[in-house]
Amino acid sequence: MRPITCIIVDDEPLAVRLLESYVEKTPDLQLLASFTDSITAINAIKAQKPDLLFLDIQMPNIDGMELAHSLPEETRVVFTTAFKEYAFESYEVNALDFLLKPIRYNKFLAAIEKARKVFQQQPTQPQQPVVQPQQPTTVFIRVDGEWRNVPIDQITYVNGMKDYVLFYLDNESKALITHLTMKAVEDMLPKDRFLRIHRSYIIAVDKIQKVDRNDCVYIGKEIIHIPDGYLQTFRQFLETRSIEKR
């Protein structure tokens, strides 16, 4: 059985640390995050969809009862509070359990045992295989009123000139000229294979011949100096692709 994931929300840091220590020493529990502010917690809860939420009731801004009404369906709540008069109200939001502060470990374990039984009873959905969308291998470029179907792996670099873009290909002596913006080309080409290194240049990273000490890229028949605005991104790319002694 997979671990039960949980998030802790309590505006008292000491109460958070106590629950964290309980989670840490309890088998089959996985803590995703802890929060002392309910507003900050909301987005994380919706994004991470924990199985279990340990939730204080009396908190500033949004109290625990209000927050419980906005939870994902799959998240069950264990309320934690110093006020037992909230016990009846907690069942209105289908709370799994109600722990009265100061919380003892044996009471915490009893709540976890309830959670285990609930999650074991839920039918498991068969996992669907993830089908990755196939990336296109060509792009259509309008040249002289005709549409050219250009293989992406033949594009060496792209040069923008005012309202036009020039595509330089491995097997073409002349550039293909089309009416486009560099932004449109940048969005069209695969980002794992092409990099914009200048406001007027997008290059195929696998076709770089060398980069000299003056931050000039040699590609095809072109030497492109990388301006400061693009240099940090290019250097980060080099770090991911370089082999050097560290």
Side-chain angles (χ1 to χ4, degrees):
M1 181 181 174
R2 70 170 179 82
I4 296 172
T5 57
C6 62
I7 285 178
I8 298 167
V9 184
D10 195 311
D11 65 329
E12 299 175 22
L14 288 176
V16 169
R17 285 199 286 272
L18 177 66
L19 287 172
E20 286 176 340
S21 71
Y22 286 173
V23 171
E24 187 176 351
K25 64 182 181 180
T26 305
D28 303 328
L29 272 189
Q30 179 186 349
L31 182 64
L32 300 179
S34 299
F35 298 92
T36 54
D37 175 62
S38 54
I39 293 178
T40 308
I42 290 174
N43 288 335
I45 294 165
K46 289 181 177 178
Q48 299 187 55
K49 295 181 173 60
D51 299 317
L52 209 55
L53 179 65
F54 295 99
L55 181 60
D56 187 20
I57 293 180
Q58 277 204 325
M59 289 186 293
N61 299 319
I62 299 176
D63 66 32
M65 288 297 175
E66 290 178 282
L67 196 154
H69 283 287
S70 66
L71 293 179
E73 272 185 44
E74 56 267 47
T75 299
R76 299 300 300 272
V77 180
V78 174
F79 280 115
T80 60
T81 182
F83 304 95
K84 61 183 179 182
E85 56 266 29
Y86 287 114
F88 179 77
E89 191 178 351
S90 69
Y91 291 102
E92 293 181 5
V93 292
N94 195 25
L96 184 71
D97 210 341
F98 183 93
L99 297 178
L100 196 61
K101 296 180 181 179
I103 300 168
R104 298 183 181 277
Y105 186 52
N106 64 325
K107 298 292 186 183
F108 177 89
L109 281 178
I112 298 305
E113 190 56 36
K114 284 185 184 179
R116 286 194 184 106
K117 290 177 181 177
V118 167
F119 295 126
Q120 283 172 356
Q121 290 170 0
Q122 291 179 350
T124 56
Q125 296 293 329
Q127 193 169 8
Q128 298 296 324
V130 177
V131 179
Q132 296 293 341
Q134 189 174 2
Q135 284 196 342
T137 58
T138 63
V139 291
F140 282 91
I141 301 172
R142 192 176 181 86
V143 181
D144 295 331
E146 297 179 344
W147 288 100
R148 288 279 304 272
N149 192 15
V150 177
I152 290 173
D153 61 7
Q154 290 184 11
I155 300 172
T156 306
Y157 64 93
V158 181
N159 178 206
M161 299 181 67
K162 293 188 178 179
D163 297 329
Y164 291 87
V165 171
L166 285 69
F167 283 80
Y168 289 86
L169 310 182
D170 293 340
N171 59 346
E172 299 268 355
S173 58
K174 293 183 179 180
L176 303 183
I177 304 173
T178 186
H179 190 274
L180 271 177
T181 65
M182 288 293 283
K183 180 64 170 63
V185 175
E186 191 175 13
D187 291 341
M188 177 176 60
L189 295 176
K191 290 179 173 50
D192 59 335
R193 296 169 60 186
F194 290 85
L195 186 65
R196 190 166 185 176
I197 61 168
H198 190 285
R199 66 188 303 269
S200 300
Y201 286 95
I202 297 170
I203 63 171
V205 293
D206 288 340
K207 298 185 180 181
I208 296 172
Q209 296 154 13
K210 69 175 182 176
V211 182
D212 68 20
R213 66 186 64 189
N214 297 314
D215 298 313
C216 291
V217 171
Y218 291 67
I219 186 166
K221 296 180 180 179
E222 193 79 27
I223 301 173
I224 307 164
H225 180 260
I226 305 174
D228 291 342
Y230 292 85
L231 200 52
Q232 183 178 355
T233 301
F234 183 72
R235 285 175 176 169
Q236 288 173 347
F237 156 75
L238 281 183
E239 286 178 10
T240 65
R241 299 282 288 269
S242 63
I243 301 175
E244 59 182 5
K245 189 174 181 180
R246 299 184 185 276

